[in-house]
Amino acid sequence: MAAPKSSHSREAFWLDAWYQGRWWLWLLWPLSLLLRLLAGVRRRRLQKRATPFSAPVIVVGNITLGGTGKTPVIIALVRYLKAQGLRPGVISRGYGGSAPSYPYFVSATSPVSESGDEPLLIAMEADCPVMVGADRNASVQKLINEHQCNVILSDDGMQHYKLSRQWEICLLDGARLLGNGLCLPAGPLREGPERLQEVDCVIVNGSKQGVSVNGVEALPMSLQPTAWCNVQTGEQLPLDALPFAGDTVVNAVTGIGNPDRFYKTLQGLGIAVRGQSFPDHHAFHAEDLAYVGSRPLLMTAKDAVKCQSFAKPDWWYLSVEADLPAQFYDQFSEFLSKSGLVG
């Protein structure tokens, strides 16, 4: 059975236009300018209402649409904070999930249909309390009150200005950066490029060295593959032990914000792939992947948590870790020290 046409086509159309600089987008520039002005008014109004919590809040977000690698960074930061003897918790919007009530506590055994894919992956990989809900303030307070968290990481939420925050990390995709530099709908930006000058740290995912973005010195980051993991059993194999070596071209599927990054990572490992992209946070069902038949299938960890219940023996996901430079951890440690969290 042939692979179906990509369900990612609408998103891909706009992403291609924004990042390739299609001329007709300038027709939308007046609307972009209006939305940018309204966003500024909204920000100033909501920030006046933001009340700090007893625990500092660190936002890991972006100013662009499309995937930038926030989830692996969140997991890396949780592990680092735990190594410092702290009790981190994570809040998230929980896209793709529908919980019975909110704020909703996510554990490693929560149904992905209730938690959403990214919160469940964080709970599984980072082994820390995760709370999801549209009201991020309520999620923070619940983590503090019921789980004694003394530092909170917000997965996205940079534009959720009702949420008080003490440190902001903005991630950018190294290949896309700011695209055409315009705000929605004429471009991919949620806020103007000048917003980068206000955050505490800018990180470019996919860059091997620091770069200047809109006059801001950004730190490099890469996602390093660590192992192949069987979606069905959890078995792990080293990267050089390819369980699908007999296939000259291997099927790969994604439901993430930047599928090309995943495909290029696989190609960098010497694997020829036939990619099939679905929209970000797509709720996979067995029929979506029936075209694969009994052949091997590769996916991301984020997608694997949604496919585990119907996975076949030859379905594997690529485990990756965020490789952040020492300069970042120096800045992060300085913040923790100033916040009184570490000596």
Side-chain angles (χ1 to χ4, degrees):
M1 183 183 298
K5 293 182 179 180
S6 173
S7 305
H8 201 66
S9 56
R10 182 177 298 178
E11 289 183 44
F13 170 79
W14 283 103
L15 290 172
D16 175 74
W18 290 332
Y19 291 107
Q20 298 300 321
R22 304 305 181 199
W23 68 266
W24 52 266
L25 288 172
W26 286 101
L27 299 175
L28 300 174
W29 178 79
L31 183 56
S32 293
L33 180 60
L34 175 61
L35 292 179
R36 182 171 173 177
L37 292 172
L38 291 176
V41 172
R42 172 183 173 273
R43 177 185 175 186
R44 289 188 292 273
R45 176 173 56 85
L46 294 178
Q47 281 181 324
K48 293 178 181 178
R49 304 179 185 178
T51 303
F53 300 94
S54 60
V57 174
I58 302 163
V59 171
V60 181
N62 54 32
I63 63 170
T64 61
L65 292 185
T68 54
K70 294 188 300 296
T71 300
V73 171
I74 289 279
I75 293 170
L77 295 184
V78 169
R79 290 171 175 167
Y80 179 82
L81 291 167
K82 290 172 69 174
Q84 309 307 307
L86 299 174
R87 299 185 303 277
V90 176
I91 62 170
S92 175
R93 177 63 178 84
Y95 289 109
S98 181
S101 63
Y102 292 100
Y104 176 76
F105 176 72
V106 181
S107 71
T109 58
S110 296
V112 68
S113 60
E114 296 182 356
S115 67
D117 47 21
E118 291 169 348
L120 179 58
L121 180 59
I122 293 169
M124 293 172 63
E125 295 288 329
D127 188 25
C128 75
V130 178
M131 201 73 67
V132 301
D135 187 344
R136 291 178 183 263
N137 287 340
S139 294
V140 170
Q141 200 60 62
K142 198 162 187 177
L143 284 176
I144 294 172
N145 293 345
E146 298 184 7
H147 299 275
Q148 293 73 53
C149 295
N150 57 5
V151 57
I152 307 296
L153 295 165
S154 177
D155 180 15
D156 212 352
M158 185 163 286
Q159 290 75 39
H160 191 91
Y161 287 114
K162 287 189 291 184
L163 176 69
S164 173
R165 73 285 306 268
Q166 284 63 55
W167 222 60
E168 291 183 317
I169 302 170
C170 181
L171 275 91
L172 298 174
D173 177 74
R176 295 173 170 176
L177 294 179
L178 301 180
N180 61 10
L182 299 177
C183 289
L184 292 165
L189 302 187
R190 301 173 178 179
E191 300 181 87
E194 68 278 1
R195 180 71 170 89
L196 294 181
Q197 299 173 4
E198 302 174 359
V199 304
D200 298 282
C201 182
V202 178
I203 297 173
V204 176
N205 182 5
S207 175
K208 295 183 179 180
Q209 59 186 12
V211 296
S212 178
V213 184
N214 200 51
V216 176
E217 292 303 314
L219 298 177
M221 182 196 100
S222 61
L223 296 179
Q224 295 297 323
T226 58
W228 298 108
C229 301
N230 189 277
V231 179
Q232 186 183 79
T233 66
E235 175 192 5
Q236 292 194 12
L237 295 175
L239 294 176
D240 58 357
L242 301 182
F244 35 83
D247 285 47
T248 55
V249 180
V250 184
N251 285 297
V253 67
T254 65
I256 60 177
N258 188 354
D260 287 341
R261 187 194 303 125
F262 177 60
Y263 300 145
K264 289 178 181 178
T265 298
L266 295 177
Q267 292 166 0
L269 294 172
I271 303 167
V273 297
R274 182 187 299 110
Q276 171 68 14
S277 302
F278 289 79
D280 196 12
H281 303 290
H282 180 72
F284 284 101
H285 299 283
E287 53 267 28
D288 293 329
L289 306 176
Y291 70 93
V292 176
S294 59
R295 296 186 301 278
L297 178 64
L298 308 182
M299 62 184 67
T300 69
K302 173 180 166 179
D303 295 320
V305 298
K306 294 175 287 189
C307 299
Q308 190 171 18
S309 63
F310 54 85
K312 295 184 178 180
D314 281 336
W315 290 11
W316 300 82
Y317 72 87
L318 183 63
S319 179
V320 299
E321 292 183 356
D323 183 13
L324 293 159
Q327 186 179 352
F328 167 79
Y329 285 108
D330 289 342
Q331 294 179 14
F332 194 44
S333 295
E334 183 179 357
F335 161 73
L336 297 176
S337 179
K338 289 181 178 179
S339 301
L341 292 172
V342 296

